[in-house]
Amino acid sequence: MADTFRITIAQMNPVVGDIPGNIAKARRAWEAGRDAGADLVALPEMFVSGYNAQDLVMKPAFHAAAMQAAQDLATDCADGPALAIGCPWAEGAELFNAYLICKGGQIASRVLKHHLPNDTVFDEVRIFDAGPLGGPYSVGNTRVGSPICEDAWYPDVAETLEETGAEFLLIPNGSPYHRDKLEVRLNHIVSRVVETGLPAIYLNMIGGQDDQVFDGGSFALNPGGKLALQLPVFDEAMSHVDLIRTPEGWRIVEGEISAHPDAWEQDYRVMVTALRDYCAKTGFRQVLLGMSGGVDSALTATIAADALGPENVRCVMLPSEYTSPDSLEDAEACAKALGCRYDYVPISDTRAAVTSTLAPLFEGTEEGLTEENIQSRIRGLLLMALSNKFGEMLLTTGNKSEVAVGYATIYGDMAGGYNPIKDLYKTRVFETCRWRNANHRDWMLGNAGEVIPERIISKPPSAELREDQKDSDSLPDYPELDALLQILVDDDGSIADCVAAGYDADTARKIERLIYLSEYKRFQSAPGARLTSSAFWLDRRYPIVNRWRDPS
């Protein structure tokens, strides 16, 4: 009989702080592995506590509870396969990101993460202590090496494991999505496989946590880098991975190879998943938003319908005298195409009352931006009132272009608890609307077909806060603006870089100034789905008070 080894890998969705719930999921995975004859059942990085738990994991009562729960789980899983699961682990005054190997009713081995990521959304150097370079652990007569997430992005951990007797690599991860991340992961693990000559199984978690979405896509590689297994992205999945011992060492038996969607679909899936899990994990079942007849609110409403079901989405049109007939028609048409509730709440009377109240104080001044922003803030007030009254979370609808330059009213249209399109530039908003009109997937709870009327996509964008207003009155056209923002924000480039790319220096300086001046707004803005490695929040942290400007 061939010498074989079976690992059940569980690509699952933990909830930060829900230690009992996460333990219950792990137990179900272990039972499935036991029933399938597995030798080892593996869960992702930090699964007991949930990830990314940030400073919560440093709280002594919290990590003590996680450690006790892991010990209890080990006891419960004594009669069956070994269990590998991520958990915070304290030893003396030190706190580690650990991977626990449970066998025979106890925690038999602990792998401690060595390389602690300290960039983008990660602050692990601040939170954890670095573990030593260690060796493999035994499961039966097999020696397994487990670099934890970032440990597999550098050669030293895997090389040490190979040199100390590891026969294959099992790599637990909590790796969040950003555009093109799957290729980055695959390239790193191919390098480790080529360097060590060992097969590798890469296990990632799924699900939304605040701004981040963990996209799964777990895979396995045989020596030489040949793909032997690839699980779906974003979906919970469990796979019984078989290895067979050959004269050259362990080899993974080829299994399911799931096709991965393109970047447009993955971005849209992230926005839907982020909102769906944010609501599920915080307890909201329904949402509402201001439906302006513009493209941003139309896309946000569509994402919400796909995430929660149209019956759980309220679209509210709050027109003023500046709202065009086209916008009135388009907002209602979109809400009806989606199947969402549509409410009509005019603000003219409220605006007149506020204007009258302020008239003695504003006497002798000219109307301008202040009066425009009053409209936005009235809308924010009314939407928040509906949110409070009916328990529906208010969504805010500003795209990344507007968030970057502050083209939004704080305490007005920025009011809300979550922003699904916060990391999506305006030019991508238009294309995403077209993509959604042309595509429908089984994970979308909203209606199929053209749910966003073409006129919403094709008409010139306008805030409609004054007569004949267009976004281009205040900003460069969006293709130019987004290109400049890509250089200044995403690429962390300079004014000289903008000029080298063919853009006017004065325009670039204007945009740079708006980016810096708007930092205080972003500091108070709602969280939103992270699509890139330069999203506003943890990826990009700038001071609010900042007088520096690029002199180039």
Side-chain angles (χ1 to χ4, degrees):
M1 184 176 179
D3 193 358
T4 62
F5 191 95
R6 171 167 281 191
I7 305 178
T8 296
I9 59 172
Q11 179 176 286
M12 302 181 83
N13 183 359
V15 179
V16 166
D18 184 10
I19 294 172
N22 297 336
I23 290 291
K25 291 177 182 179
R27 185 178 287 106
R28 287 198 298 273
W30 179 83
E31 290 169 349
R34 178 197 61 195
D35 294 345
D39 298 286
L40 173 65
V41 177
L43 280 296
E45 177 184 16
M46 292 291 283
F47 193 84
V48 174
S49 60
Y51 195 67
N52 184 346
Q54 299 179 290
D55 286 8
L56 175 62
V57 77
M58 294 191 290
K59 192 174 185 68
F62 179 73
H63 61 244
M67 292 165 62
Q68 185 61 56
Q71 290 172 328
D72 293 343
L73 178 64
T75 302
D76 292 344
C77 297
D79 187 16
L83 173 68
I85 189 168
C87 182
W89 196 265
E91 293 184 358
E94 294 183 306
L95 180 65
F96 298 100
N97 180 330
Y99 202 53
L100 309 179
I101 315 305
C102 307
K103 299 185 299 182
Q106 61 185 352
I107 297 171
S109 304
R110 291 188 293 273
V111 180
L112 307 178
K113 191 172 183 177
H114 179 67
H115 289 291
L116 302 176
N118 202 50
D119 56 358
T120 63
V121 298
F122 298 106
D123 294 298
E124 290 205 358
V125 169
R126 178 172 176 271
I127 295 169
F128 295 112
D129 293 283
L133 287 170
Y137 52 90
S138 295
V139 178
N141 63 352
T142 303
R143 294 173 65 79
V144 184
S146 283
I148 301 173
C149 199
E150 189 87 354
D151 286 344
W153 290 47
Y154 300 92
D156 56 346
V157 174
E159 287 178 355
T160 299
L161 288 166
E162 187 271 331
E163 291 167 358
T164 53
E167 298 174 81
F168 63 84
L169 302 176
L170 168 64
I171 306 167
N173 289 265
S175 181
Y177 175 88
H178 66 65
R179 203 173 294 139
D180 302 322
K181 183 73 171 285
L182 288 166
E183 184 177 353
V184 174
R185 294 175 189 140
L186 187 61
N187 288 340
H188 279 296
I189 307 308
V190 166
S191 296
R192 303 296 83 81
V193 167
V194 170
E195 291 158 1
T196 62
L198 300 178
I201 299 168
Y202 179 101
L203 171 60
N204 196 18
M205 63 177 61
I206 63 157
Q209 170 59 31
D210 296 344
D211 62 320
Q212 298 160 49
V213 170
F214 299 89
D215 53 325
S218 303
F219 59 88
L221 301 175
N222 270 317
K226 180 175 173 56
L227 189 66
L229 173 79
Q230 185 167 265
L231 297 187
V233 286
F234 304 108
D235 292 324
E236 189 168 283
M238 201 174 299
S239 182
H240 307 297
V241 183
D242 291 320
L243 295 94
I244 186 166
R245 196 190 296 272
T246 73
E248 294 77 30
W250 288 105
R251 295 296 182 266
I252 299 166
V253 177
E254 292 190 11
E256 169 191 9
I257 307 289
S258 294
H260 289 171
D262 64 21
W264 292 99
E265 180 169 341
Q266 288 190 48
D267 273 7
Y268 190 78
R269 182 79 184 267
V270 167
M271 292 184 286
V272 169
T273 299
L275 179 59
R276 180 180 291 163
D277 272 14
Y278 189 83
C279 288
K281 293 178 180 183
T282 58
F284 284 99
R285 297 181 179 178
Q286 297 178 310
V287 297
L288 78 156
L289 68 148
M291 194 73 162
S292 68
V295 69
D296 296 321
S297 61
L299 180 58
T300 302
T302 306
I303 291 167
D306 283 338
L308 306 174
E311 69 279 7
N312 293 311
V313 181
R314 181 197 300 258
C315 301
V316 187
M317 162 55 84
L318 301 113
S320 73
E321 61 268 37
Y322 302 118
T323 303
S324 69
D326 283 359
S327 292
L328 291 171
E329 292 174 8
D330 293 343
E332 185 172 8
C334 184
K336 287 186 174 178
L338 290 167
C340 300
R341 173 170 176 162
Y342 179 76
D343 290 327
Y344 180 83
V345 184
I347 68 167
S348 296
D349 289 348
T350 308
R351 180 170 179 258
V354 172
T355 301
S356 175
T357 299
L358 292 171
L361 300 174
F362 284 8
E363 187 176 0
T365 65
E366 293 185 4
E367 283 197 16
L369 186 61
T370 299
E371 284 73 18
E372 293 178 23
N373 286 344
I374 285 172
Q375 298 170 63
S376 181
R377 291 187 172 114
I378 288 169
R379 291 183 173 115
L381 182 151
L382 295 173
L383 289 167
M384 280 306 306
L386 290 170
S387 175
N388 291 160
K389 178 61 74 173
F390 298 109
E392 300 164 354
M393 184 176 70
L394 175 59
L395 301 179
T396 183
T397 62
N399 61 71
K400 189 173 184 176
S401 309
E402 296 171 351
V403 171
V405 298
Y407 194 64
T409 304
I410 196 165
Y411 319 125
D413 56 332
M414 287 180 65
Y418 204 77
N419 181 356
I421 65 169
K422 185 178 182 178
D423 200 26
L424 196 67
Y425 282 127
K426 187 78 168 193
T427 47
R428 293 188 76 94
V429 169
F430 293 124
E431 291 307 313
T432 301
C433 289
R434 293 190 174 97
W435 180 89
R436 175 57 179 83
N437 277 347
N439 294 276
H440 193 267
R441 302 288 185 262
D442 57 8
W443 46 264
M444 299 175 181
L445 301 181
N447 294 334
E450 188 180 280
V451 291
I452 302 173
E454 175 58 32
R455 188 168 64 182
I456 288 180
I457 304 170
S458 59
K459 67 184 178 184
S462 171
E464 295 190 331
L465 297 175
R466 63 175 184 269
E467 202 71 49
D468 297 322
Q469 183 183 22
K470 292 182 176 59
D471 290 4
S472 55
D473 298 339
S474 305
L475 299 169
D477 287 337
Y478 282 111
E480 180 182 3
L481 174 61
D482 288 357
L484 287 167
L485 292 173
Q486 177 69 42
I487 295 169
L488 294 171
V489 175
D490 297 67
D491 301 338
D492 214 13
S494 64
I495 300 300
D497 292 328
C498 295
V499 173
Y503 297 101
D504 176 70
D506 288 340
T507 302
R509 290 190 186 96
K510 174 187 174 182
I511 299 308
E512 180 203 43
R513 177 177 177 273
L514 291 173
I515 291 169
Y516 287 142
L517 288 178
S518 302
E519 201 62 49
Y520 81 100
K521 290 186 178 180
R522 288 190 291 274
F523 193 80
Q524 300 179 62
S525 65
R530 175 184 186 254
L531 303 174
T532 68
S533 58
S534 54
F536 291 120
W537 195 26
L538 296 178
D539 285 298
R540 185 183 182 279
R541 311 179 200 188
Y542 272 66
I544 297 172
V545 176
N546 169 25
R547 289 189 179 180
W548 186 84
R549 300 295 182 267
D550 187 345
S552 63

